[in-house]
Amino acid sequence: MEYCLCFIFNYSYTFRVYKSGSEGPVLLLLHGGGHSALSWAVFTAAIISRVQCRIVALDLRSHGETKVKNPEDLSAETMAKDVGNVVEAMYGDLPPPIMLIGHSMGGAIAVHTASSNLVPSLLGLCMIDVVEGTAMDALNSMQNFLRGRPKTFKSLENAIEWSVKSGQIRNLESARVSMVGQVKQCEGITSPEGSKSIVEGIIEEEEEDEEGSESISKRKKEDDMETKKDHPYTWRIELAKTEKYWDGWFRGLSNLFLSCPIPKLLLLAGVDRLDKDLTIGQMQGKFQMQVLPQCGHAVHEDAPDKVSLVFNDCKRTTVRITLDVTEDKSLSLSLHCLQQLLWSLCRCNSTSSPTSPWQLLMVAEAVATFLIRHRFAEPIGGFQCVFPGC
């Protein structure tokens, strides 16, 4: 992917945008919280080899290399407007057909963008592993999760190693690209002023302790500088400080997603993530869903060394059955999808499953299949749909 800078409002806002491809619809990719557009690098290579499309991936505000005037404002409304402004700045009044694809937080922002009609040429919407019910339940434990992460790293290589061993990114190839956008060098390594705030709390209550306090202050400064020298990399964004926006990202997300009057795709790492609204909506055929078994949360970042098409033998036809649910209502449910859900319930462990070498391939296959089935894009190199249309 090559990158460019997108300037908005007389250079007050600078968005880092990565692009690839020259023909077909635009897949506008929105990363998850704490990540950057680089998290889509391996996915981009996989998808453009299967369908004719253009990739546009941007660093959202406060992430990656994007610079804005008020970086602390991470509300869903503001971030959705950012996406609309980037599209307008890049394409003017006549944007090409665009499909929004977002992972986790980026999936929520994609839905808010779509529901607010901020992309006039929107033709499709895809959320990757984000569901309102699961996300809302997880918010209470999110701070504990963030506190458990290292605050600094000795080197970029150390950060990459941690991301793979911790399971945040389950493939080394993707981690080597993605972590560059997640961490940065600590500021003030060469200046002792950088540790000033640490020693400001030292109060000299008595004159006779002044010498001792100065000695303590000096030692604390020196220790802090040594820590920064030994661990010169830290996170680009402090996610713990964004807590007040979490509720706004995810509350009401399922109904917003279902209400968008465009073809929709939901990719999940496990069927246990489905909430009630989405379960009913899927049974009613309001969106297409694909469950990716034995997969971690960063679904789109798994990169396979060898291609293994596990769904090649799936039937191309869809048999439908009707389930009587309430008095006068019935829900149409794809038999293929029902079989897949039952299989996933039996075999998918979403919390501690091993990494599969073909997970990114599955994501690319699912998105490519969705694009071709809806005639949004043309296949490349004889690629055929490999996922059932459920």
Side-chain angles (χ1 to χ4, degrees):
M1 293 192 297
E2 62 180 17
Y3 78 87
C4 64
L5 300 178
C6 181
F7 300 105
I8 300 175
F9 302 136
N10 295 325
Y11 296 87
S12 297
Y13 297 76
T14 305
F15 287 86
R16 173 67 70 92
V17 176
Y18 295 84
K19 301 190 299 180
S20 185
S22 57
E23 295 182 89
V26 171
L27 307 188
L28 183 53
L29 310 179
L30 307 180
H31 60 78
H35 289 245
S36 78
L38 292 175
S39 67
W40 297 101
V42 183
F43 169 82
T44 295
I47 194 69
I48 63 175
S49 68
R50 286 162 174 78
V51 293
Q52 285 188 347
C53 63
R54 287 172 280 177
I55 297 295
V56 173
L58 70 145
D59 289 344
L60 296 170
R61 60 171 49 221
S62 295
H63 292 76
E65 298 292 342
T66 285
K67 308 295 180 185
V68 297
K69 271 189 173 180
N70 50 341
E72 70 285 346
D73 182 5
L74 292 176
S75 65
E77 180 183 5
T78 298
M79 297 179 79
K81 287 180 179 178
D82 285 343
V83 176
N85 289 333
V86 168
V87 170
E88 183 179 4
M90 291 183 68
Y91 301 111
D93 296 331
L94 296 173
I98 294 175
M99 179 175 177
L100 279 172
I101 301 177
H103 169 247
S104 195
M105 177 197 75
I109 302 306
V111 172
H112 284 280
T113 303
S115 65
S116 300
N117 298 314
L118 296 173
V119 179
S121 59
L122 192 63
L123 56 77
L125 175 65
C126 174
M127 291 197 305
I128 299 179
D129 211 38
V130 54
V131 169
E132 176 186 352
T134 306
M136 296 301 296
D137 291 343
L139 293 185
N140 292 331
S141 59
M142 186 56 64
Q143 287 288 5
N144 288 334
F145 167 76
L146 294 175
R147 279 194 290 268
R149 299 193 310 175
K151 289 183 172 59
T152 57
F153 299 96
K154 294 181 179 180
S155 64
L156 181 58
E157 290 73 20
N158 180 235
I160 293 169
E161 181 183 11
W162 173 84
S163 70
V164 175
K165 287 186 175 180
S166 67
Q168 176 179 294
I169 304 173
R170 299 188 174 193
N171 183 276
L172 185 59
E173 180 185 356
S174 184
R176 283 174 174 160
V177 181
S178 183
M179 288 304 292
V180 174
Q182 294 187 51
V183 298
K184 63 179 181 179
Q185 284 195 305
C186 295
E187 298 176 359
I189 293 179
T190 59
S191 172
E193 294 300 316
S195 58
K196 182 178 178 181
S197 60
I198 295 180
V199 298
E200 281 180 345
I202 298 178
I203 302 175
E204 300 173 6
E205 296 182 352
E206 297 180 358
E207 288 185 9
E208 58 267 23
D209 293 336
E210 190 171 324
E211 234 179 85
S213 295
E214 288 178 358
S215 177
I216 292 173
S217 299
K218 184 177 180 181
R219 284 200 303 271
K220 283 185 175 290
K221 287 182 180 180
E222 291 174 349
D223 291 344
D224 185 51
M225 290 307 301
E226 286 301 317
T227 299
K228 287 186 174 182
K229 287 178 181 178
D230 292 340
H231 300 79
Y233 284 86
T234 188
W235 300 103
R236 287 181 181 269
I237 177 173
E238 294 186 56
L239 288 176
K241 293 183 178 180
T242 68
E243 182 176 9
K244 63 180 179 179
Y245 298 111
W246 296 349
D247 187 90
W249 293 345
F250 304 114
R251 188 172 298 279
L253 183 64
S254 293
N255 284 327
L256 279 180
F257 177 71
L258 294 171
S259 67
C260 292
I262 50 176
K264 297 178 286 291
L265 173 65
L266 177 63
L267 299 181
L268 295 177
V271 72
D272 58 317
R273 286 162 161 80
L274 272 183
D275 57 24
K276 179 181 177 181
D277 290 334
L278 288 180
T279 299
I280 295 174
Q282 199 281 328
M283 289 180 176
Q284 293 174 332
K286 291 185 176 180
F287 64 92
Q288 180 181 333
M289 183 179 74
Q290 186 63 55
V291 179
L292 307 180
Q294 298 183 348
C295 183
H297 178 54
V299 178
H300 63 293
E301 292 208 62
D302 292 335
D305 293 328
K306 296 180 179 179
V307 174
S308 177
L309 299 178
V310 296
F311 286 100
N312 267 342
D313 296 328
C314 287
K315 293 181 180 178
R316 296 297 182 263
T317 58
T318 301
V319 180
R320 294 191 172 275
I321 60 175
T322 300
L323 302 177
D324 293 327
V325 179
T326 56
E327 304 171 353
D328 301 318
K329 297 180 181 179
S330 63
L331 302 178
S332 179
L333 177 64
S334 161
L335 181 57
H336 279 313
C337 200
L338 179 61
Q339 291 171 337
Q340 184 180 16
L341 296 185
L342 293 174
W343 179 77
S344 298
L345 278 171
C346 294
R347 297 193 57 183
C348 178
N349 183 341
S350 62
T351 57
S352 59
S353 55
T355 303
S356 169
W358 33 261
Q359 291 306 327
L360 176 68
L361 172 68
M362 293 179 69
V363 177
E365 299 285 2
V367 174
T369 298
F370 181 83
L371 291 168
I372 294 170
R373 280 214 175 101
H374 289 279
R375 298 182 180 179
F376 293 155
E378 295 296 324
I380 290 178
F383 172 76
Q384 296 181 353
C385 300
V386 294
F387 282 89
C390 60

